[in-house]
Amino acid sequence: MYIHEYQSKRLLHTYEIPVPRSEVFTQGDSIEKFVANFGGESWIVKAQVHAGGRGKAGGILWTHTKEELKQQIDKLMGTRLVTKQTDAVGLPIQTLLVEKPANIKREIYLGLLVDRASKKITAIASAEGGINIEEVAETSPEKIASVNIHKTSGVQGYHCRLLAQDLNLNKAQFKQFSHILRQMYALFLDSDASLIEINPLIVAEDESLLALDAKMNFDDNALFRHKKIASLKDTSQENPIELKAKQHDLNYVKLDGSIGCIVNGAGLAMATMDLIKHNGGEPANFLDVGGNTTAQRVTQAFNLLIDDESVRSIFVNIFGGIVRCDVIAEGILQALEETELTLPVVVLLQGTNAEQGKEILKGKHQLITAVSELTEGAKLAIEKAGGQS
Amino acid sequence: MYIHEYQSKRLLHTYEIPVPRSEVFTQGDSIEKFVANFGGESWIVKAQVHAGGRGKAGGILWTHTKEELKQQIDKLMGTRLVTKQTDAVGLPIQTLLVEKPANIKREIYLGLLVDRASKKITAIASAEGGINIEEVAETSPEKIASVNIHKTSGVQGYHCRLLAQDLNLNKAQFKQFSHILRQMYALFLDSDASLIEINPLIVAEDESLLALDAKMNFDDNALFRHKKIASLKDTSQENPIELKAKQHDLNYVKLDGSIGCIVNGAGLAMATMDLIKHNGGEPANFLDVGGNTTAQRVTQAFNLLIDDESVRSIFVNIFGGIVRCDVIAEGILQALEETELTLPVVVLLQGTNAEQGKEILKGKHQLITAVSELTEGAKLAIEKAGGQS
Amino acid sequence: MSVLIDEYTQILCQGITGSVGTFHTQQGLDYGSKIVAGVTPGKGGSTHLDLPVYNTVSEVMQNHEIDATVIYVPAAFAADAILEAVEAEIPLIVCITEGIPVQDMIPVSDILETSASLLIGPNCPGIITPDQCKIGIMPGAIHKAGNVGIVSRSGTLTYVAVDQTKQHGQSTCIGIGGDPIHGLDFIECLTMFEHDQDTDVIVMVGEIGGTAEEEAAEFIQTAVNKPIVSYIAGASAPPGKRMGHAGAIISGGKGTAEDKYKALENAGVHTVRTLAGIGEAVNKILA
Amino acid sequence: MSVLIDEYTQILCQGITGSVGTFHTQQGLDYGSKIVAGVTPGKGGSTHLDLPVYNTVSEVMQNHEIDATVIYVPAAFAADAILEAVEAEIPLIVCITEGIPVQDMIPVSDILETSASLLIGPNCPGIITPDQCKIGIMPGAIHKAGNVGIVSRSGTLTYVAVDQTKQHGQSTCIGIGGDPIHGLDFIECLTMFEHDQDTDVIVMVGEIGGTAEEEAAEFIQTAVNKPIVSYIAGASAPPGKRMGHAGAIISGGKGTAEDKYKALENAGVHTVRTLAGIGEAVNKILA
């Protein structure tokens, strides 16, 4: 689960990591009142959306007077921001972070994440912080220092020294850096985070370190034990269909194509997309109804795809395991009765009682074509969607 | 570093582990005022000394009226308590814990310690808690459950289940037990403890668990980072010579014999005691002046032994390593000039420049006899002390 | 012979009285698996599906010989259950549970590293040696004893691979699970299949993300002589939404399906670009 | 050959600029040990005793081949220094520092278990192969190259054992340290001496407390063929003051000198009841 920049910074502040002075402006607040509290100083107004690339997209604005501040708040609030990390519709701006600008001498990168390969929490740092850090990682990996933190030891002095090796910090800055890393790590453990990044962590004009932007991601599977973190969720930042899918515990990701997919198992769902692409089509979504699915979940999946206007045909690919294909087939027929679907549906049933399932579907519903094989199914779904996209 | 029962219980209370209601009476407090605050209830008055076996030694008294309470406080305060764990002089009673008696249904044992063999923190529990737990351990080890707690995982549910397996706890008690173990473990880590015992952990009449007595020991080497724990030190409970030794950073333990030992290195100090015993003598002390000792430390050691009236002769056994024996020899001569020692001193110098050292000592001081060999030295020290003890 | 389990494997079930545990224990018993006991804290002393239930794994070990345990306990308590099995030194631990918090798995992996236990999963279908022993949630009926060894990160893709190799049957199928931190990985499974005389061909089903397939490819080059057929799911997956940089920084842009295919092909693996190709490739090798 | 170190061993010194580090580095250089670099955080870039000083061990590894490191940093930072050396994969780590908090050593031991590094100490004199390499604080001059391998928990007792065996000289002497949690133990050292062709007799000096000697005895019975002479210090030590029960409960009354002597004698070890007997026993064996 992602949270907003302002929420991340509040967490950092709670863990005694220095962040700029700031105020949060929420949709519905009085601009007059809000602006009245600020002097004639310079401020930065930052749109709070769950996406990077805000600066170039016009989501971060500088102001120097009360009047300007009013105008910029008014300009951003309630609009949608489209960045290179969002889709074409963009994300709604419902909160603004109004922050004191910092005088930046240098930008450092500092991150913590769970690393698959080492099965440990890994800390990463680079003297080349800022928006180009990914490029640095790809083109100059030697400029990125990383070290695993064993859970049994926690952050030790040597972790800090290793990461700071190329950061050119003076003694006081190194002390502050060590403090920040230890506190980030504590937050990481306390909150079941999967990612905490401070980027940039700046060296300010006054030589102190300051967290200028922060990104955090938390393990959805652990939210049950972190009520406070869970309450930071902002569903306005999520795709409405994806949101609806989650409510039904369906694993759905919206894509750009025209062939809707209903598949059981994440692996098989990906493999089905691969198959469609391989045969010249474009999947409209990734949709995993769960390894051991039920007829009911297939119905929910149909209901979900109805909301997506770009879907032209639906490919149902179910491998019957514990749940038998004949039961799934009956479920599909019933689902088509209950929903207002008008799209062609190609169904591939494999595994337990696959033949009986196919038999049940045969000729029962005009929209349905039952197939026997993967490639056949993919090709037919593409054809029904109106040929290659 | 050991602390008193009342201090241990305050720590448990801080960690939300239930302890009986109590008040602390300190030497110099007004008995009248103290007693005035209590109703006519029953109370237990417990002498706070750094030794077990207080009950049998008369250090734990029951009272039922205000008058009795006054009398018992008056009776114990300011005296010395001799238990099977103290020497014949006993330990001074300067603090009393006045506690609400609990109705005991059963007594459980629960302990945490650093285990050498597994190099882990080990938790131990037994349904046969109370004063006989050591006997239980020796005669019925199957009644003691123990499990290692990996630092990477901390206390897990299975640790609690494993320890509670034979404790016959109901569901609510198991929940309380798990809480207590987790909190004890947190305290153990937070305070660099080397031992935390709750014994007995009782099941009270009302079916809840309560820590009726607690013993804690903290790692002296870690006290530098635990100012609060360090401040709990009660030097009145230590042997005055041992205390003086510690101030000079000498490793000294008072024993019952007549031959004072000054040795460099803990191993060699023990080996020297072994040698004396092997030859029929009794060492008056264990005294390690440090692996790489200096002449100055030998002088301090002489000054320490002067305070022990039971010492009849002194055996100095130094293995010259980095520090040369000739330097040590000069130091010994100077030390004898400066101290008021009148006891015979047998000196064995081995290692670097041993011969020169012996040469220096030869005939220089009437009290000193230099020897060349371990057994020779031990025998001579015994002889000088007046023969076999 | 087979890999890890056979007809003699005696099995414990942790979380036996829950609905998932009950259902799949019954399925396992019906298949012929030797499930001999169960654990559910607080229900010790009772019987369930005619099997004795205990409060702790340690009690089980005092009364039974256990070769493997299967875990169906809810996600919040699953890591604890794995650790209890490790503490009891059960040689094979199969954890089916999905949705375990990743940070719960870090200590599990630390402790496993110095233990005598092997972990399959979590978030996996389990392991089956057809007609001998089934530990997990896979549908027994689709399997058939044979000479193809299957190892897969994805559950349903394992079943598809089984279906694709139905002509020859399977020696053992292992679903290692797709969670970021899991137990057995491709390399360990490939090693076991390489040394298993009942396995003639290995099917390895991978997924995008991580570098397990790349590491397996490197290993195959020096240590596996048997033919391997491999499919990687996710070639068509979009880079996906992400807000942070750290994942990309640490992987340095690796882990795409194309990277994995290339590495495997360099190691002499027979790769197939669609699921449907698995059967064909295996048939060709065994023709 | 010898055990662990020889004339080619290249050594790093962590904590080189402190007074203890300075003194013993000079002593080591004088003895002929190949100390090639030092580390003191914050003093990187300078030179000390003509050796380059670095801020981190990782920087050292980029510039030198390091076989062993010796640690003289203060107790509060020593565990961190050991872990830094483990992270840098230095094969042999010798930690001289005494007074390290025990709980600092728990993660060190956890991490060592899955690492490629060996640790000697902490709170030990170090290791010496006479006339070739000395790592630690032992006085070099008392040693002489020969065929007696010495392993000891106590510092000065090692020196006494060296003195007692001066007639034959020593192959390698290892002081493993007496701290509750330490690195190499008797068993590992005995194994190395058993396989070292320069060692004909082993002297093992133990102490009361713990059960390392009992475990060594068990190991000797099956795995050590060379003659061993052993002395255990502390036969005369009183049970000592103690307030808690847990230590006694966990050891079950074990760990006395008599227990250790008995176990060693059962394993065929030549035990001696006083220090003075070590020399005699060795002489008799080598006569």
Side-chain angles (χ1 to χ4, degrees):
Chain A
M1 186 195 93
Y2 287 104
I3 61 175
H4 285 296
E5 177 195 6
Y6 80 92
Q7 295 166 325
S8 295
K9 283 182 171 167
R10 280 185 186 165
L11 281 172
L12 292 182
H13 180 71
T14 309
Y15 278 78
E16 297 170 354
I17 295 171
V19 294
R21 222 176 94 207
S22 70
E23 294 290 332
V24 172
F25 184 86
T26 311
Q27 197 160 26
D29 288 357
S30 151
I31 298 189
E32 296 297 333
K33 250 193 201 163
F34 184 84
V35 172
N37 291 324
F38 293 92
E41 302 172 56
S42 296
W43 293 96
I44 308 179
V45 181
K46 299 170 95 175
Q48 299 297 291
V49 295
H50 283 189
R54 293 174 297 169
K56 284 188 182 161
I60 297 178
L61 303 173
W62 288 67
T63 71
H64 301 92
T65 63
K66 287 197 183 199
E67 201 45 48
E68 255 187 321
L69 181 57
K70 254 192 238 177
Q71 285 166 4
Q72 305 293 42
I73 289 175
D74 199 45
K75 183 175 160 194
L76 284 175
M77 182 52 79
T79 63
R80 296 183 81 89
L81 192 69
V82 178
T83 84
K84 59 173 184 174
Q85 287 186 14
T86 69
D87 59 19
V89 185
L91 293 169
I93 303 174
Q94 300 181 341
T95 313
L96 298 171
L97 182 64
V98 178
E99 194 170 76
K100 184 103 180 68
N103 293 311
I104 303 171
K105 280 187 78 170
R106 296 196 287 129
E107 297 190 329
I108 291 169
Y109 172 91
L110 182 60
L112 281 176
L113 81 166
V114 178
D115 177 43
R116 258 172 193 273
S118 62
K119 305 180 181 188
K120 305 258 180 310
I121 294 169
T122 299
I124 308 169
S126 173
E128 315 242 331
I131 53 171
N132 293 320
I133 183 70
E134 276 192 66
E135 204 184 301
V136 173
E138 225 163 294
T139 58
S140 324
E142 76 284 356
K143 289 184 178 163
I144 311 276
S146 76
V147 64
N148 293 330
I149 300 172
H150 294 265
K151 185 140 187 266
T152 182
S153 72
V155 176
Q156 296 282 319
Y158 83 90
H159 294 121
C160 306
R161 294 194 295 275
L162 234 155
L163 292 175
Q165 207 160 271
D166 299 323
L167 298 184
N168 277 314
L169 303 178
N170 66 30
K171 211 171 165 182
Q173 286 162 351
F174 175 72
K175 210 177 148 187
Q176 215 191 344
F177 177 82
S178 302
H179 167 81
I180 291 171
L181 181 62
R182 283 171 204 274
Q183 292 297 96
M184 263 174 90
Y185 181 78
L187 170 58
F188 200 93
L189 292 192
D190 291 351
S191 63
D192 270 293
S194 50
L195 170 75
I196 297 183
E197 282 188 320
I198 301 180
N199 185 31
L201 173 67
I202 64 153
V203 177
E205 282 293 345
D206 69 357
E207 294 297 337
S208 70
L209 301 185
L210 193 66
L212 215 60
D213 199 357
K215 283 161 190 163
M216 297 187 189
N217 194 3
F218 300 93
D219 186 349
D220 289 322
N221 288 331
L223 287 179
F224 70 91
R225 58 189 176 203
H226 302 289
K227 301 291 175 222
K228 270 193 189 166
I229 300 283
S231 74
L232 301 179
K233 191 180 194 82
D234 180 357
T235 52
S236 78
Q237 301 295 310
E238 297 183 46
N239 176 296
I241 306 183
E242 288 183 17
L243 197 60
K244 191 173 162 192
K246 252 182 227 169
Q247 284 158 357
H248 288 104
D249 214 19
L250 296 169
N251 190 0
Y252 172 95
V253 179
K254 174 84 189 88
L255 301 171
D256 294 332
S258 58
I259 299 157
C261 300
I262 298 178
V263 191
N264 64 331
L268 189 54
M270 276 202 291
T272 305
M273 286 161 48
D274 293 354
L275 200 65
I276 290 168
K277 268 219 149 153
H278 192 78
N279 286 289
E282 284 292 338
N285 61 274
F286 166 97
L287 202 174
D288 165 21
V289 294
N292 286 312
T293 192
T294 59
Q296 194 203 354
R297 291 173 68 75
V298 175
T299 308
Q300 289 165 344
F302 276 121
N303 281 323
L304 206 67
L305 294 197
I306 287 175
D307 292 350
D308 184 353
E309 291 176 2
S310 54
V311 173
R312 298 292 164 81
S313 75
I314 294 175
F315 183 17
V316 180
N317 184 6
I318 301 289
F319 196 98
I322 299 298
V323 173
R324 302 177 336 244
C325 288
D326 51 332
V327 176
I328 296 288
E330 300 281 9
I332 291 171
L333 288 176
Q334 205 184 322
L336 287 191
E337 296 297 321
E338 289 168 12
T339 62
E340 289 160 15
L341 199 76
T342 55
L343 297 167
V345 179
V346 177
V347 181
L348 172 61
L349 298 172
Q350 288 179 288
T352 314
N353 292 1
E355 279 312 309
Q356 291 94 310
K358 201 179 162 190
E359 215 44 53
I360 287 167
L361 293 177
K362 220 171 234 171
K364 287 283 166 50
H365 198 293
Q366 51 176 20
L367 293 174
I368 293 179
T369 318
V371 295
S372 310
E373 199 267 320
L374 285 161
T375 309
E376 180 197 357
K379 283 186 175 161
L380 191 62
I382 295 167
E383 191 192 310
K384 299 262 181 189
Q388 303 198 351
S389 54
Chain B
M1 186 194 93
Y2 286 103
I3 61 175
H4 285 296
E5 177 194 6
Y6 79 94
Q7 295 166 325
S8 295
K9 283 181 169 167
R10 280 184 185 165
L11 281 172
L12 292 182
H13 180 70
T14 308
Y15 279 78
E16 297 171 355
I17 295 171
V19 292
R21 223 178 93 208
S22 69
E23 293 290 332
V24 173
F25 183 86
T26 312
Q27 197 160 26
D29 287 357
S30 151
I31 298 190
E32 294 299 331
K33 250 194 202 163
F34 184 84
V35 172
N37 290 325
F38 292 92
E41 300 173 57
S42 295
W43 293 94
I44 309 179
V45 181
K46 299 169 96 176
Q48 300 296 291
V49 294
H50 283 189
R54 291 175 299 169
K56 283 188 184 161
I60 298 178
L61 302 173
W62 287 67
T63 72
H64 302 90
T65 63
K66 287 196 181 198
E67 201 44 48
E68 254 186 323
L69 181 56
K70 251 191 241 177
Q71 284 166 7
Q72 305 293 43
I73 290 176
D74 198 46
K75 184 175 156 193
L76 285 176
M77 181 52 80
T79 63
R80 295 183 83 88
L81 191 68
V82 178
T83 84
K84 59 172 183 175
Q85 287 187 15
T86 68
D87 60 18
V89 185
L91 293 169
I93 303 174
Q94 300 180 340
T95 312
L96 298 170
L97 182 64
V98 178
E99 194 169 76
K100 183 104 179 67
N103 293 311
I104 304 171
K105 278 187 80 170
R106 295 196 287 129
E107 296 189 329
I108 290 169
Y109 172 92
L110 182 60
L112 282 176
L113 80 167
V114 177
D115 177 43
R116 257 173 196 272
S118 62
K119 305 180 180 188
K120 305 259 179 309
I121 293 169
T122 300
I124 308 170
S126 173
E128 314 241 332
I131 52 170
N132 292 319
I133 183 70
E134 274 193 65
E135 203 184 302
V136 173
E138 224 162 297
T139 59
S140 325
E142 77 283 357
K143 289 183 177 164
I144 311 276
S146 77
V147 63
N148 293 330
I149 300 171
H150 294 264
K151 186 142 186 263
T152 183
S153 72
V155 175
Q156 296 282 319
Y158 83 89
H159 294 121
C160 306
R161 294 194 295 275
L162 235 157
L163 292 175
Q165 207 160 270
D166 299 322
L167 298 185
N168 278 312
L169 302 178
N170 65 31
K171 212 170 163 183
Q173 285 161 353
F174 175 72
K175 210 177 149 189
Q176 215 190 344
F177 177 82
S178 302
H179 167 80
I180 291 171
L181 181 61
R182 283 172 205 275
Q183 293 296 97
M184 262 173 90
Y185 182 77
L187 170 58
F188 199 92
L189 292 192
D190 291 350
S191 63
D192 270 293
S194 50
L195 169 76
I196 297 183
E197 282 188 319
I198 301 181
N199 186 32
L201 173 66
I202 65 154
V203 178
E205 282 293 345
D206 69 357
E207 294 298 336
S208 71
L209 301 185
L210 194 67
L212 216 59
D213 199 357
K215 283 160 190 162
M216 297 187 188
N217 194 4
F218 300 93
D219 185 350
D220 289 322
N221 288 331
L223 287 179
F224 70 91
R225 57 190 176 203
H226 303 289
K227 301 291 175 222
K228 270 193 189 164
I229 300 283
S231 74
L232 301 180
K233 193 183 192 80
D234 180 357
T235 52
S236 78
Q237 300 294 311
E238 297 183 46
N239 176 294
I241 305 183
E242 287 182 19
L243 197 62
K244 191 174 163 192
K246 251 182 227 167
Q247 284 158 357
H248 287 104
D249 215 17
L250 296 168
N251 190 0
Y252 171 94
V253 180
K254 172 87 190 85
L255 301 171
D256 294 332
S258 57
I259 299 158
C261 301
I262 297 177
V263 191
N264 65 330
L268 189 55
M270 276 201 291
T272 305
M273 284 160 51
D274 293 354
L275 199 67
I276 290 170
K277 266 219 152 156
H278 192 78
N279 285 289
E282 284 293 337
N285 62 273
F286 166 97
L287 202 174
D288 165 20
V289 293
N292 286 313
T293 194
T294 59
Q296 194 202 355
R297 291 174 66 75
V298 175
T299 309
Q300 289 164 342
F302 276 120
N303 280 322
L304 205 67
L305 293 196
I306 287 176
D307 291 349
D308 184 352
E309 291 176 2
S310 53
V311 174
R312 298 291 163 81
S313 74
I314 293 176
F315 183 18
V316 179
N317 183 7
I318 302 288
F319 196 98
I322 300 298
V323 173
R324 300 176 340 241
C325 288
D326 51 333
V327 176
I328 295 289
E330 300 280 9
I332 290 171
L333 289 177
Q334 203 184 324
L336 288 190
E337 298 296 320
E338 288 167 12
T339 61
E340 290 160 15
L341 198 76
T342 55
L343 297 168
V345 179
V346 177
V347 181
L348 171 61
L349 299 173
Q350 289 179 286
T352 313
N353 291 2
E355 279 312 307
Q356 292 93 312
K358 201 177 161 190
E359 214 45 53
I360 288 168
L361 293 177
K362 221 170 234 171
K364 286 282 166 50
H365 198 291
Q366 51 176 21
L367 292 173
I368 293 179
T369 319
V371 295
S372 311
E373 199 267 321
L374 285 161
T375 309
E376 181 198 355
K379 283 186 175 162
L380 190 63
I382 294 167
E383 191 192 310
K384 299 259 182 193
Q388 303 198 351
S389 54
Chain C
M1 250 186 59
S2 54
V3 162
L4 284 170
I5 57 169
D6 59 26
E7 57 188 310
Y8 304 109
T9 306
Q10 301 219 81
I11 306 161
L12 164 67
C13 176
Q14 290 171 259
I16 192 169
T17 58
S19 65
V20 182
T22 300
F23 180 80
H24 289 291
T25 299
Q26 189 58 60
Q27 294 268 326
L29 290 168
D30 294 347
Y31 194 76
S33 297
K34 293 201 169 40
I35 306 169
V36 297
V39 163
T40 298
K43 304 219 169 157
S46 64
T47 61
H48 188 68
L49 307 174
D50 288 332
L51 297 174
V53 177
Y54 298 86
N55 286 321
T56 67
V57 176
S58 119
E59 284 169 331
V60 174
M61 302 311 271
Q62 284 158 29
N63 293 286
H64 302 270
E65 292 281 322
I66 299 294
D67 304 304
T69 181
V70 59
I71 294 172
Y72 295 111
V73 310
F77 310 107
D80 179 35
I82 298 172
L83 289 174
E84 183 173 2
V86 174
E87 173 75 26
E89 299 181 359
I90 297 180
L92 181 66
I93 302 166
V94 181
C95 184
I96 306 303
T97 310
E98 69 175 279
I100 301 179
V102 180
Q103 286 200 28
D104 285 6
M105 288 303 295
I106 292 176
V108 170
S109 123
D110 287 344
I111 293 170
L112 273 170
E113 226 182 323
T114 56
S115 81
S117 301
L118 291 178
L119 172 68
I120 295 179
N123 190 15
C124 77
I127 176 170
I128 182 169
T129 293
D131 298 346
Q132 295 190 39
C133 180
K134 160 173 133 73
I135 304 180
I137 59 172
M138 66 286 287
I142 64 168
H143 298 80
K144 185 180 116 181
N147 58 350
V148 180
I150 297 177
V151 55
S152 166
R153 273 168 73 178
S154 146
T156 16
L157 285 186
T158 321
Y159 311 159
V160 174
V162 166
D163 195 57
Q164 292 271 320
T165 58
K166 61 186 162 196
Q167 195 184 320
H168 307 282
Q170 302 82 36
S171 52
T172 300
C173 305
I174 312 174
I176 58 174
D179 272 10
I181 297 184
H182 57 260
L184 282 197
D185 221 324
F186 287 126
I187 291 178
E188 291 95 332
C189 296
L190 292 172
T191 307
M192 291 186 285
F193 282 128
E194 172 75 6
H195 294 109
D196 172 36
Q197 57 189 41
D198 283 356
T199 303
D200 293 328
V201 181
I202 304 167
V203 173
M204 172 177 150
V205 182
E207 263 179 34
I208 50 164
T211 54
E213 290 81 2
E214 285 86 337
E215 284 151 29
E218 208 170 304
F219 177 77
I220 289 164
Q221 226 153 9
T222 60
V224 185
N225 292 312
K226 292 185 181 173
I228 302 176
V229 172
S230 185
Y231 168 70
I232 307 294
S236 64
K241 300 167 293 182
R242 65 176 167 202
M243 288 181 71
H245 299 278
I249 290 171
I250 199 102
S251 66
K254 281 180 212 157
T256 67
E258 216 33 61
D259 287 338
K260 292 174 192 293
Y261 274 126
K262 250 186 228 158
L264 289 167
E265 280 157 13
N266 283 341
V269 170
H270 306 258
T271 61
V272 296
R273 300 292 162 137
T274 75
L275 261 188
I278 295 176
E280 262 172 68
V282 169
N283 291 344
K284 206 186 279 174
I285 290 167
L286 289 176
Chain D
M1 249 187 59
S2 55
V3 161
L4 285 169
I5 57 169
D6 58 27
E7 58 190 308
Y8 305 108
T9 305
Q10 301 219 81
I11 307 162
L12 164 67
C13 176
Q14 290 171 259
I16 193 170
T17 59
S19 65
V20 182
T22 301
F23 180 79
H24 289 292
T25 300
Q26 189 57 61
Q27 293 270 325
L29 290 168
D30 293 348
Y31 193 77
S33 298
K34 295 203 167 38
I35 306 168
V36 297
V39 163
T40 297
K43 304 217 169 159
S46 65
T47 60
H48 188 68
L49 305 174
D50 286 332
L51 297 174
V53 177
Y54 298 86
N55 286 321
T56 67
V57 176
S58 120
E59 284 168 330
V60 174
M61 301 313 271
Q62 285 158 28
N63 294 286
H64 303 270
E65 293 281 323
I66 299 294
D67 304 304
T69 180
V70 58
I71 295 172
Y72 295 110
V73 310
F77 310 106
D80 179 35
I82 298 173
L83 289 173
E84 183 173 4
V86 175
E87 173 76 23
E89 300 182 359
I90 297 181
L92 181 66
I93 302 165
V94 181
C95 184
I96 306 302
T97 310
E98 69 174 279
I100 301 179
V102 180
Q103 287 199 29
D104 284 6
M105 288 303 296
I106 292 176
V108 170
S109 125
D110 288 344
I111 294 169
L112 272 170
E113 227 182 323
T114 56
S115 81
S117 300
L118 292 178
L119 172 68
I120 295 179
N123 189 12
C124 76
I127 176 171
I128 183 169
T129 292
D131 298 344
Q132 295 189 39
C133 181
K134 158 174 134 73
I135 304 180
I137 59 171
M138 67 286 288
I142 64 167
H143 298 79
K144 184 179 117 182
N147 59 350
V148 179
I150 297 178
V151 54
S152 166
R153 275 168 72 178
S154 147
T156 15
L157 286 187
T158 321
Y159 311 160
V160 173
V162 166
D163 194 58
Q164 291 271 319
T165 58
K166 61 185 160 196
Q167 195 184 322
H168 307 282
Q170 301 83 36
S171 53
T172 299
C173 305
I174 311 173
I176 58 175
D179 272 11
I181 298 182
H182 56 260
L184 281 197
D185 221 324
F186 287 127
I187 291 176
E188 291 95 331
C189 296
L190 291 172
T191 307
M192 291 186 285
F193 281 129
E194 172 75 5
H195 295 109
D196 172 36
Q197 57 191 41
D198 283 354
T199 303
D200 293 328
V201 181
I202 304 166
V203 172
M204 172 179 151
V205 181
E207 261 179 35
I208 50 166
T211 54
E213 290 81 3
E214 285 86 338
E215 284 152 28
E218 210 170 301
F219 177 77
I220 289 166
Q221 226 153 9
T222 59
V224 185
N225 291 312
K226 291 186 181 173
I228 301 174
V229 172
S230 184
Y231 167 70
I232 308 295
S236 65
K241 299 168 294 180
R242 67 179 164 199
M243 288 182 71
H245 299 279
I249 290 171
I250 199 101
S251 67
K254 283 179 211 156
T256 67
E258 216 32 62
D259 288 340
K260 292 173 192 295
Y261 274 127
K262 250 185 228 160
L264 290 168
E265 280 157 13
N266 283 340
V269 170
H270 306 258
T271 61
V272 295
R273 301 292 163 137
T274 74
L275 263 188
I278 295 175
E280 262 173 67
V282 169
N283 291 344
K284 208 187 275 175
I285 291 166
L286 290 175

